């Protein structure tokens, strides 16, 4: 029997090559253990509701009414829905032709794109054009679409931070391009060294790669740092000099857990820099309803905004978006709600503000609990999570642990994380899934387990880790490097 | 100033090459006219709710409750929601971990995939494995993912019917593969001639193309025909002989407007054929909540089911799905509801059955009204819409109309459709967007305008068409070919 088109050996090589560790070996093993009845704490993916975070009430009321517009005529609707949710639902339905069951324009509902533009203007102090904002099924889909427009073949390179969120490595592999890594410096709180960036580009060029775009993730995933204005300026200067499109993954812009470095968008910094850069540097910025304090991952709502992309290219991006007709409409409504939430004086404002604040403050406390917890463990050091949703501790594995892993044919961090999973049910992602310097090991967890569970989780982690270290350390006295 | 990565001239050539006529020149012009205040009848895309079709009540009640789970604890909930909708919402929420705000497994919620498998088993009489069913953001996303797995480069060919739904041509172009056309025979009610298929494959091979898969659209889009069992058997035999994956686009399986040829799935025919074919022919079948009598396009819910695809390949497809984390969860719930709707005896059954029947019977009447309307027009001939949602009349354009179009640099059918749009507001898609034989012209409309509007629309069409023909016909006496 001859082999067939959908047999493994005949698949598109780019499909086979790409790796996505967030749902890789560790996740699959965790799912198996869960099926066998083991209690698993899924901290592998930033999925707040799966770990018990409750949805914000107001947006869910509005979307429920949009889904069931016949309720708007029900005389009892006021008994279970507040008047401002009813008004907002009517407003959204008025923006669509056909409600949530109709495809929208492939770029998204014009009225929602206008709300996004107004949000961006309030945030940055510069007007934004709704025609340059495309709504998407979550930010990932937007990133993939833009990379697809840029990447022409294996000699097109995309600068990606290491450690990075593996959406980038996976998408670049899938699209047949080349990932050009630049390293974030762990000892400088995961800061970006512009000289390292230059070296990365030079090295890539030497091997025949044309670097065409640069990805920044701010706040960082998995590294949690917030970029300073000075750093962002350097990056934009660099993109200008090197003629790179800047791709600003800013999906964690609402998740900030310190006050020294608030979130500042790449777009604001670019426009503040003035001419000629403000008119010349191409920038695409990404956002989502999945993160922030909303955490509405399952709804798949996102957008990208284009700056300095010429109309003819925007048209091509529109054309490609139109092949899959439209992003899901409920997700678009969520985006409209996120960028234009209840205001002081609205009936639902107090509840909305209380719920949002509750989640955000708890995330901030959890960021501290987790970092402190990791730093209390033997051979573990961890930068503070300034923003985003992750902790990325370095695990200093004893040589005997590394040897044992090698014998089992596993990367040392994978070995460690699998042992952690089996011992405690904590499902993390090994640092190798994000990239790390040779011989240095990490893991990524989210900071999302329920606050009340956090002490027990960190204790369980510490117990496992310290016993693991005890077991594998050279008893003649292995010390921190 | 040097040109930049996201300037038109530097974009990925496959992005620039691909065409998607359903939202192409005609749609863009129609959108412009709408902005200027003209009333447009959008029949360019199968988008029933945009043309006034009301959503079915029960699924919208269930999804509203799933979106607002706090309503389930509200003492007044029973005043506006029936008990079976409440029970079903609780059941769905029990299938998720974290409700609609959490990413699901990248293949979709296991409980919903089980409901899909049970639906397929009831439909076909053969068990179906939920592990081989992946939920998607609409069928288009599933098609693109499978084509991405198959296509390795320009010498990989995909057999596509002509006329075809341009999702296929666009996706194949975007993925850098080759479309190998096979022609449906208009005079044989858009039937498929297996000899023509053989010729298409032979011709492609001669030019160095390896044909790897064959697409069928059943019921047909834009052509509306239902494939007979005999035809499906020939196709499956052919795929077996030629070692092709069969891609069965069956999104219109509920849209049948005659009784002689009910829908029969490719999977049922394959499994009925027995060994060795039933174990050897690779098949991927696609379905959606956007069509049928649901028409829930904006929700973006779909699935694909794989038959005879080995586990290692399924794993790769899973891995790629996981890069964008999960299909939107509300769309998954809609799919669960569509494949497992209220049953006789349930509180909501009567209303559900009445609404469904009302839509389906009206579609059947509209299919007749439209075909009859077209056939009453000068130089227009149209096969009956046996299924799906489209009418695809042939427009026999007089030579002077073709000359005029040529002078304007337009394809003749584009010219005709633009004139139709300007004169009547009816937004159609020229046949050239789907492919047609050289020198033959068509347009596609949906049969979706509201039934009460249909007579006026067809009258307006007839008036435009007959005047157009009058104007461009050779007055010495141009006759039907």
């Amino acid at each position: 029997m001859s082999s067939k088109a959908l047999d493994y050996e005949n698949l598109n090589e780019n499909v086979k090559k790409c790796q996505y560790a967030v749902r890789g070996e560790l996740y699959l093993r965790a799912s198996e253990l869960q099926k066998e009845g083991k209690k698993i704490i899924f901290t592998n993916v930033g999925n707040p509701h799966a770990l018990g975070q409750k949805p914000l009430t107001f947006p869910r009321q509005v979307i429920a009414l949009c889904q069931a517009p016949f309720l708007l005529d029900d005389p009892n609707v006021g008994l279970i829905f507040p008047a401002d949710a009813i008004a907002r639902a009517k407003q959204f339905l008025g923006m669509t032709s056909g409600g949530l069951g109709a495809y929208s324009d492939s770029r998204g509902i014009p009225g929602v794109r206008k709300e996004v533009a107004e949000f961006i203007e309030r945030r940055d102090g510069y007007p934004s054009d709704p025609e340059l904002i495309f709504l998407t099924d979550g930010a990932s889909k937007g990133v993939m679409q833009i990379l697809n427009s840029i990447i022409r073949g294996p000699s097109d390179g995309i600068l990606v931070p290491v450690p990075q969120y593996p959406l980038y490595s996976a998408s670049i592999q899938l699209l047949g391009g080349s990932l050009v890594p630049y390293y974030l410096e762990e000892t400088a709180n995961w800061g970006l060294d512009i000289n390292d960036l230059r070296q990365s580009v030079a090295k890539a060029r030497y091997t025949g790669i044309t670097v065409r775009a640069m990805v920044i993730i701010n706040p960082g995933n998995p590294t949690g740092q917030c970029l300073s204005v000075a750093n962002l300026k350097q990056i934009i200067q660099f993109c200008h000099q090197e003629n790179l499109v800047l791709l600003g993954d800013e999906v964690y812009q609402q998740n900030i857990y310190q006050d020294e470095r608030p979130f500042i968008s790449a777009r604001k910094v670019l426009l503040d820099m003035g001419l000629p850069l403000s008119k010349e540097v191409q920038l695409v910025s990404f956002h989502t309803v999945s993160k922030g304090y909303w955490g509405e991952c399952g709804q798949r709502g996102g957008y990208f905004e284009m700056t300095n992309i010429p109309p003819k290219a925007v048209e091509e991006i529109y054309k490609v978006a139109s092949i899959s007709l439209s992003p899901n409409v409920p997700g678009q409504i969520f985006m409209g709600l996120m960028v234009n939430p209840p205001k002081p004086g609205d009936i639902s404002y107090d509840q909305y503000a209380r719920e949002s604040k509750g989640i955000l403050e708890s995330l901030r406390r959890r960021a501290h609990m987790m970092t402190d917890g990791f730093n209390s463990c033997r051979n573990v050091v961890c930068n503070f999570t300034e923003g985003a949703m992750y902790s990325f501790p370095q695990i200093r594995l004893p040589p005997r642990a590394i040897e044992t892993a090698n014998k089992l044919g596993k990367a040392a961090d994978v070995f460690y994380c699998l042992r952690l999973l089996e011992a405690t049910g904590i499902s993390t992602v090994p640092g190798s899934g994000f990239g790390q310097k040779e011989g240095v090991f990490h893991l990524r967890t989210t900071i999302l387990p329920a606050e009340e569970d956090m002490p027990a989780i960190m204790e369980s982690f510490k117990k496992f880790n310290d016993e693991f270290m005890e077991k594998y350390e050279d008893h003649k006295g292995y010390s921190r490097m």
Side-chain angles (χ1 to χ4, degrees), chain A:
Chain A
M1 210 169 82
S2 62
S3 86
K4 308 192 192 83
L6 277 175
D7 287 352
Y8 177 81
E9 57 272 32
N10 295 324
L11 297 182
N12 177 349
E13 284 302 321
N14 289 335
V15 162
K16 287 194 264 186
K17 260 189 295 189
C18 80
Q19 293 303 330
Y20 186 69
V22 170
R23 294 208 162 168
E25 179 177 359
L26 260 288
Y27 170 74
L28 296 174
R29 179 70 188 130
S31 301
E32 267 176 37
L33 287 171
Q34 191 183 37
K35 267 196 187 162
E36 293 166 14
K38 189 172 174 73
K39 196 188 159 218
I40 302 296
I41 303 148
F42 282 102
T43 71
N44 58 302
V45 53
N47 195 10
H49 292 214
L51 291 171
Q53 183 178 308
K54 292 272 165 294
L56 299 171
T57 305
F58 181 78
R60 291 297 193 99
Q61 288 169 328
V62 175
I63 199 80
L65 288 164
C66 289
Q67 284 285 15
F70 41 82
L71 293 182
L72 297 168
D73 304 321
D74 190 306
N76 291 315
V77 68
L79 293 176
I80 55 175
F81 290 97
D84 56 351
I86 294 170
R88 196 77 161 99
K90 286 183 180 164
Q91 189 195 1
F92 278 120
L93 290 173
M95 289 179 187
T96 68
S97 48
L100 272 51
Y103 297 125
S104 69
D105 186 282
S106 307
R107 297 165 297 186
I109 299 166
V112 173
R113 287 154 58 213
K114 188 161 165 283
E115 290 188 283
V116 172
E118 289 160 359
F119 154 78
I120 294 172
E121 178 166 358
R122 283 194 305 277
R123 186 194 65 188
D124 293 343
Y126 295 97
S128 164
D129 180 355
E131 298 294 301
L132 300 176
I133 293 165
F134 283 25
L135 304 182
T136 53
D137 286 304
S140 301
K141 287 284 164 66
V143 167
M144 290 167 95
Q145 206 204 324
I146 295 297
L147 288 174
N148 190 20
S149 301
I150 295 174
I151 295 172
R152 299 165 301 190
S155 66
D156 276 346
I158 311 290
L159 270 168
V160 172
V162 172
Q164 54 106 28
Y165 175 50
L167 164 66
Y168 295 96
S169 49
S171 302
I172 293 166
Q173 282 162 330
L174 197 59
L175 295 164
S178 291
L179 186 149
V180 180
Y182 65 92
Y183 287 89
L184 302 177
E185 190 43 54
E186 187 164 13
T187 54
N189 213 19
W190 298 117
L192 179 161
D193 179 349
I194 211 81
N195 290 320
D196 179 69
L197 206 54
R198 272 184 230 292
Q199 274 197 336
S200 295
V201 172
K203 230 194 251 173
R205 273 211 193 108
Y206 188 76
T207 63
I209 287 171
T210 313
V211 182
R212 306 190 72 220
M214 172 173 178
V215 174
I216 55 171
I217 310 177
N218 180 35
N221 175 4
T223 41
Q225 83 287 3
C226 294
L227 291 176
S228 66
V229 173
N231 229 179
L232 281 164
K233 277 190 184 164
Q234 287 181 308
I235 291 165
I236 290 166
Q237 283 284 7
F238 179 76
C239 287
H240 189 245
Q241 286 158 10
E242 301 288 341
N243 202 17
L244 307 179
V245 182
L246 181 59
L247 304 180
D249 178 336
E250 299 177 336
V251 298
Y252 296 100
Q253 59 187 270
Q254 293 182 312
N255 297 95
I256 307 294
Y257 311 121
Q258 40 72 45
D259 303 316
E260 298 73 46
R261 271 209 289 260
F263 169 76
I264 295 168
S265 76
R267 181 170 172 278
K268 178 174 168 50
V269 175
L270 170 59
L271 298 183
D272 280 349
M273 289 170 87
L275 294 172
L277 277 71
S278 62
K279 287 277 180 220
E280 291 187 2
V281 174
Q282 296 189 326
L283 167 67
V284 186
S285 308
F286 302 89
H287 200 7
T288 184
V289 302
S290 301
K291 309 300 169 188
Y293 35 91
W294 288 56
E296 290 280 11
C297 301
Q299 314 283 357
R300 314 310 289 119
Y303 77 75
F304 59 85
E305 188 206 14
M306 296 171 278
T307 306
N308 298 324
I309 314 296
K312 251 187 110 176
V314 173
E315 258 174 50
E316 294 298 307
I317 293 168
Y318 183 15
K319 184 186 70 184
V320 170
S322 75
I323 300 171
S324 30
L325 293 160
S326 86
N328 88 81
V329 176
Q332 299 182 40
I333 304 291
F334 272 100
M335 183 51 84
L337 286 161
M338 187 178 86
V339 296
N340 190 13
K343 288 175 190 44
D346 292 352
I347 299 165
S348 297
Y349 177 75
D350 286 346
Q351 186 184 14
Y352 174 80
R354 192 173 59 247
E355 290 174 350
S356 304
K357 196 166 162 241
I359 294 167
L360 207 51
E361 288 182 350
S362 169
L363 284 172
R364 186 186 276 238
R365 286 191 298 271
R366 284 180 271 172
H368 281 281
M369 286 160 89
M370 207 156 220
T371 312
D372 292 348
F374 284 130
N375 282 319
S376 78
C377 295
R378 195 156 160 177
N379 299 344
V380 178
V381 283
C382 186
N383 282 323
F384 176 61
T385 299
E386 297 178 345
M389 290 185 169
Y390 310 98
S391 199
F392 197 65
Q394 185 181 141
I395 314 290
R396 296 181 166 166
L397 293 172
R400 279 211 300 123
I402 299 171
E403 280 161 33
T404 308
N406 288 346
K407 276 183 209 151
L408 295 168
K410 302 242 174 249
D413 53 358
V414 173
F415 170 68
Y416 176 91
C417 290
L418 279 169
R419 286 290 161 96
L420 172 67
L421 173 67
E422 310 270 349
T424 65
I426 304 172
S427 164
T428 60
V429 186
S432 46
F434 305 90
Q436 50 198 357
K437 290 186 179 164
E438 184 71 24
V440 182
F441 303 102
H442 298 80
L443 61 82
R444 188 189 81 163
T445 75
T446 68
I447 59 167
L448 297 174
E451 192 172 343
E452 62 271 26
D453 298 339
M454 199 63 107
I457 291 171
M458 293 316 292
E459 202 177 307
S460 153
F461 177 85
K462 182 174 168 61
K463 181 166 177 291
F464 159 79
N465 175 78
D466 291 4
E467 285 175 10
F468 180 97
M469 295 302 171
E470 176 69 27
K471 179 172 172 190
Y472 288 102
E473 272 181 1
D474 182 345
H475 285 286
K476 283 170 224 149
Y478 171 88
S479 62
R480 290 199 170 195
M481 297 188 287

